Amino acid sequence: MTVNSGSPGWYLRRLSRMGPREVAGRVGDAVRRRRWRSARPDCPSVTGARFTAVLPAGTIAAVSPDAAKRLIAEADRLMCGHTEYFGVVRDDLADPDWWCDPKTGRRAPWGYAFNVPYRNEDAVGDIKQIWELSRHQYLTVLAAAYAITGDERYAERVAAHLRSWWAANPPLRGVHWISGIELGIRLLSWVWIRRLLDGWPGVAGLFEGNPVALNQIWHHQRWLAAFPSRGSSANNHVIAEAAGQFAAACAFGWFPSSARWRAGALRSLERQLRRNTFDSGLNRELATEYHGLVLELGLAAVAEADATRVPVPASIRLVLLRMTDALAAVVDSRLRPPRQGDADDGHGLVVDGTGTDRWASLLATGDAVFGRLAWWPEVTGTDVRTPLLAALIRPYAKIAAAPVVTRPPSRPGHFADAGLTVLRGPGEIWCRCDGGPHGFLSIAAHAHADALSVEVRHDGVDVLADPGTFCYHGQPEWRQYFRSTLGHNTLQVDGGDQSVSGGPFLWTRHARSRVLTADTSDTSDGGTARWCAEHDGYQRSVHRRRVELATANQELTVVDEVRGPRRDVRLAFHLGPAIAADLAGNRAVLTWTRDGEGRSAVLDLPGQLSWRAHRGETDPPLGWYSAGFGRKEPATTLVGTGFADGTALLGEFTTVLRFHG
């Protein structure tokens, strides 16, 4: 079903997922927006402003030559005008048009921000393409290049682009004043730009000595204080809003309202970090890239607090510690975490060049701030961000008021509150099993209909893959496919999804899953790891799945059971883009190459179903893999069709994946 996110029906469905308090808050927001249209106060006058939240001496010298080299190479590409966002190559960064979408060529309309129909791609263009550049994270890269090299060309380009943006985007005019997450991340970028340009003679005149900059900083914070994400929308967006406002109120604490903004943002950050995070440390959205985004934002906020000597509640550091340990626990042998839920390539703070491993960087920062545990995977890569954050954040062990916390003595494999289980075997076999909640909050905005799906890798290569996300707006058929049940390694009944979509970021009915067995004990002696879960997403039927990883023979067995009356079923297995498949009957021979060495496996599929390979189909979409937002490539999907009848012993299907060597 294709759903128009701007239709009256969508608004009714969205309203149905809100509680009375949220409705009242949104009514207040609407009244305030109408009032703000004609009442835009000027920034209070500021005198004697100074920026003191600088990097400690010697910080830049701690950046490794390899990380610095990657950063400078990226900065030079940006200086030449070249970059890529979400699969679209841009050559216009020397003098960008802040309102133009390079993908469609459309230019967003001018006008009062809250009247711009940003969800309508025909009127605005791809809003993600327009917003991404104005997060100004490419400017933090240029500023970092200046800090490392002292080359004033980088600083001058940053200054020119900031002045251009400020002139083109006065407060409350146009698309860049619509979404709080954009304002929050942009403020965080400005804080770091000011910090990294601190040695440049023109930096004070660009920021604290510039009335235009002061006006922008003040209006950004006023906006965030007035329009926080509420209720069913209080996911990663509210973390970005609070982190950005807190960072700005610490580093740019020059205004009469700065202390109030800082205190309010800190309260929100503390509360929302706890609400958005399971006790196990995994993010409640169950979308791994948002785990990374929230962790980055939280670390950046704590860095700002420590840089300006603002006390933060111990619970904030504790949540970030648990998030870091959880990340270390779930990554595979190549430090890749699960591909679960939505992913839009969003980052909290960018100061590194292309080729820097995001997850290795976060684990390196976690090591510097919290200390690595003995079971953590080794991190061999280098990055720029870690030494910068580590220079500002006080090590957890040296904080006298920090609570004593019991960290996992061995690598966890099962996260009961999140319903995520990782089975590991020899030959670097990694299997993620999904038996968790359907997303976070009443709308589960970034969830996929993927209950009981599995994701299998061998030495970091996707064998049974989660296909990813690809898009959010403007291409409803692709949005629908990539978050559908058929778009995951699980069982579809009667051609429908387990959970019911009410729009591109709205689910009106959520499948409920429960894990029945999760035995992830050490299998190094040739034992078997086991997992079993079920969900109720199909009315009148229950889908139960058992997974066993026998380490002695590198064999993974998946048994699907449908309990209930006769139903049509489709069982899908999505292969990674590196996997070639030769399907004959119900057996597929899988081959791929890793580090120049040929690898292979055999996939024996349930004989009761009729099997067919699909690749790169578009009507409807099937057989695709999205490595990142805005990018997709053909990949083989094996789909078995037939029926299940739990009343006639015809409801069980067994799949066996055997790795060779």
Side-chain angles (χ1 to χ4, degrees), residues 311-542:
V312 299
S315 58
I316 289 180
R317 298 181 198 267
L318 184 57
V319 169
L320 299 177
L321 183 155
R322 287 175 172 158
M323 291 184 72
T324 307
D325 279 343
L327 176 62
V330 300
V331 295
D332 65 19
S333 60
R334 302 281 176 145
L335 301 185
R336 293 179 61 218
R339 285 166 53 89
Q340 183 179 22
D342 272 348
D344 72 347
D345 298 354
H347 291 258
L349 174 65
V350 180
V351 288
D352 275 284
T354 302
T356 302
D357 188 298
R358 175 186 199 172
W359 309 105
S361 171
L362 279 170
L363 291 176
T365 303
D367 185 3
V369 173
F370 303 117
R372 72 185 309 277
L373 297 173
W375 54 262
W376 274 30
E378 292 293 333
V379 176
T380 57
T382 60
D383 68 313
V384 175
R385 188 175 61 191
T386 290
L388 302 186
L389 289 175
L392 299 177
I393 301 175
R394 295 162 60 197
Y396 191 81
K398 295 183 179 181
I399 298 174
V404 177
V405 56
T406 302
R407 299 172 68 184
S410 58
R411 190 175 203 169
H414 177 58
F415 297 81
D417 47 10
L420 185 148
T421 306
V422 176
L423 310 180
R424 298 177 187 271
E428 304 297 349
I429 299 173
W430 176 98
C431 174
R432 189 260 302 177
C433 304
D434 179 7
H438 179 72
F440 180 48
L441 301 174
S442 62
I443 64 172
H446 291 296
H448 290 187
D450 57 357
L452 309 196
S453 64
V454 296
E455 184 184 3
V456 181
R457 300 177 192 158
H458 187 279
D459 195 16
V461 174
D462 291 310
V463 179
L464 302 182
D466 184 299
T469 299
F470 177 57
C471 67
Y472 282 168
H473 302 281
Q475 301 177 78
E477 72 281 5
W478 290 102
R479 176 65 171 152
Q480 178 183 349
Y481 167 70
F482 274 99
R483 65 179 195 150
S484 69
T485 297
L486 185 61
H488 294 83
N489 297 316
T490 188
L491 187 80
Q492 183 194 57
V493 171
D494 288 347
D497 289 336
Q498 311 149 336
S499 296
V500 177
S501 172
F505 298 99
L506 171 63
W507 296 91
T508 57
R509 184 170 62 80
H510 304 179
R512 294 175 299 177
S513 302
R514 62 172 183 152
V515 176
L516 305 175
T517 303
D519 180 3
T520 62
S521 55
D522 184 10
T523 57
S524 58
D525 60 352
T528 299
R530 295 179 173 85
W531 174 86
C532 178
E534 65 183 20
H535 76 82
D536 66 354
Y538 299 122
Q539 297 180 6
R540 300 181 297 120
S541 295
V542 172

Side-chain angles (χ1 to χ4, degrees), residues 554-576:
Q554 301 190 61
E555 184 174 286
L556 184 81
T557 302
V558 179
V559 179
D560 289 292
E561 181 182 356
V562 180
R563 297 185 172 189
R566 180 183 172 110
R567 312 290 292 268
D568 292 328
V569 299
R570 285 197 289 182
L571 180 59
F573 290 107
H574 300 261
L575 308 182

